[in-house]
Amino acid sequence: MKRFAYFCSVTFTIVGLLLASSAKAAEKTAVDPSGTWRWEHDEGGETVKNVLKLNSDGKKVSGTYQGRRGPYEITDGKVDNDKLIFGFNVDYEGQTIEISFVGKIKADKVDGTVTMKSDEGARDYPWTAERGLKAADTVGTWKLSIELPDGNVLMPQLKLSLADDMKELKGEYTSDASEMEVSDIKVKDSKLFFKISGDFGGGTLTANYKVQPRGDKLAGEIEYDFNGQTGELEVTGKRDVKKKPEAK
C-alpha cells in the first residue's frame, strides 16, 4: 500500500510539472513591434515609400503611417504573441476606405496582408515590411536613466537633431546641470552610437554609448572612463514626445 501511495504521489508530481510546463509554454510573451518599419509598393506605375512608426506597451500599439498621403494615426493597434494588428481610415474622393493590416513578426521583418475595404468591396494585398533605424528616427529629446554601482541614478538628457545636410546627427548632452560634448554620432546596424566627454563631478569623464532605439524607447550599454577608472553601465531612456520635432 505504501509503495502504491508513493507511486501515485510521484505520478501526480510529474503530471503537475508537465502541466505547469505546458502552461508556461503557452504563455508566450508578445513581441515588441516598436520602431520604424518601411516598405515600398507600386501605385499607378509610381513607387510609393511607406513608413510606419510604432510604439507598444506590450499589448496596445499606437503610431502613425505615412505613404503617399498622411500621416494617419493608426487605430485598434495590438499584438497577440507574434501577430501585429492595426488599421486606419482614409477619405478618398468622397468615400471612406478602411485599411487593415495583419502580419506575423519575426525579428525585424513582418509578413502579412493588408485589406482595403470600400463601398466597392474588399481587396487583399500581400504586405512585407522591415524594421530599421535611420538618423531621422532618433531625432528628439531623450531622457536617460543610468543606475550607478552605488545605487544612485543619473538622469541625463540627450537632444539629437539633424545637421544641415539632413543626414548626419548633432547632439547636446546635459547631466546634473553640466553640459558635455557629444561626438562620433552614428547609426549602424539598427543601433545608435555616440560619445560624450568633458568635466563631470570634479573629474574628467569619457563615455561611449551603444543603444538600440525602438520607437520612443531605448536601451543599451555604456563604456566609461572617469579619471582612469573604467567600467560598463546599462542605460535606458524614453523620448520626450512633447518635444519630439516633426520629421522633415
Side-chain angles (χ1 to χ4, degrees):
M1 182 64 70
K2 290 183 177 180
R3 288 184 178 180
F4 178 74
Y6 175 75
F7 173 78
C8 290
S9 175
V10 172
T11 301
F12 289 142
T13 300
I14 294 174
V15 170
L17 290 173
L18 289 174
L19 290 174
S21 179
S22 299
K24 184 173 289 186
E27 295 177 0
K28 294 182 180 178
T29 302
V31 298
D32 186 356
S34 300
T36 303
W37 300 81
R38 293 179 171 88
W39 70 97
E40 297 180 354
H41 76 272
D42 181 82
E43 191 173 311
E46 179 183 349
T47 299
V48 178
K49 295 184 178 181
N50 305 275
V51 179
L52 177 67
K53 296 186 177 183
L54 299 178
N55 285 290
S56 174
D57 61 3
K59 291 185 178 180
K60 186 178 179 181
V61 179
S62 60
T64 58
Y65 163 82
Q66 175 74 60
R68 173 179 282 181
R69 303 171 185 84
Y72 298 101
E73 292 285 339
I74 70 169
T75 57
D76 302 323
K78 61 182 180 180
V79 282
D80 183 5
N81 292 332
D82 58 355
K83 183 184 291 185
L84 171 64
I85 303 170
F86 68 92
F88 55 88
N89 293 339
V90 175
D91 292 326
Y92 181 69
E93 295 185 351
Q95 65 174 319
T96 299
I97 302 176
E98 299 178 9
I99 303 179
S100 303
F101 288 77
V102 177
K104 187 175 182 180
I105 297 176
K106 185 175 182 180
D108 290 324
K109 187 175 181 179
V110 59
D111 286 299
T113 303
V114 54
T115 301
M116 302 181 68
K117 185 179 180 181
S118 66
D119 296 339
E120 300 174 357
R123 289 187 177 182
D124 293 338
Y125 302 91
W127 172 50
T128 300
E130 291 188 1
R131 176 165 49 188
L133 187 70
K134 293 186 177 181
D137 300 329
T138 67
V139 169
T141 300
W142 296 87
K143 295 182 177 180
L144 309 179
S145 177
I146 307 166
E147 184 173 354
L148 302 179
D150 60 6
N152 289 322
V153 178
L154 295 179
M155 303 290 289
Q157 178 174 283
L158 171 69
K159 184 177 180 180
L160 294 175
S161 58
L162 289 173
D164 294 337
D165 62 2
M166 304 303 293
K167 294 181 180 180
E168 301 295 326
L169 288 164
K170 57 183 180 180
E172 301 174 13
Y173 187 99
T174 306
S175 180
D176 290 342
S178 299
E179 292 188 5
M180 311 287 286
E181 180 182 353
V182 185
S183 60
D184 300 340
I185 311 174
K186 63 180 180 180
V187 172
K188 183 180 179 182
D189 298 330
S190 295
K191 290 184 174 60
L192 171 67
F193 300 82
F194 64 94
K195 177 182 178 181
I196 64 165
S197 57
D199 296 330
F200 180 81
T204 301
L205 172 67
T206 300
N208 292 293
Y209 282 70
K210 180 176 70 173
V211 298
Q212 184 172 51
R214 284 284 174 85
D216 292 327
K217 301 173 291 185
L218 64 75
E221 304 168 344
I222 308 170
E223 293 183 355
Y224 69 88
D225 184 325
F226 181 67
N227 286 346
Q229 296 183 355
T230 60
E232 296 183 1
L233 295 170
E234 294 183 354
V235 57
T236 59
K238 292 184 178 181
R239 178 158 36 194
D240 189 342
V241 180
K242 294 180 181 179
K243 295 182 180 180
K244 183 178 176 182
E246 293 294 330
K248 298 183 179 179

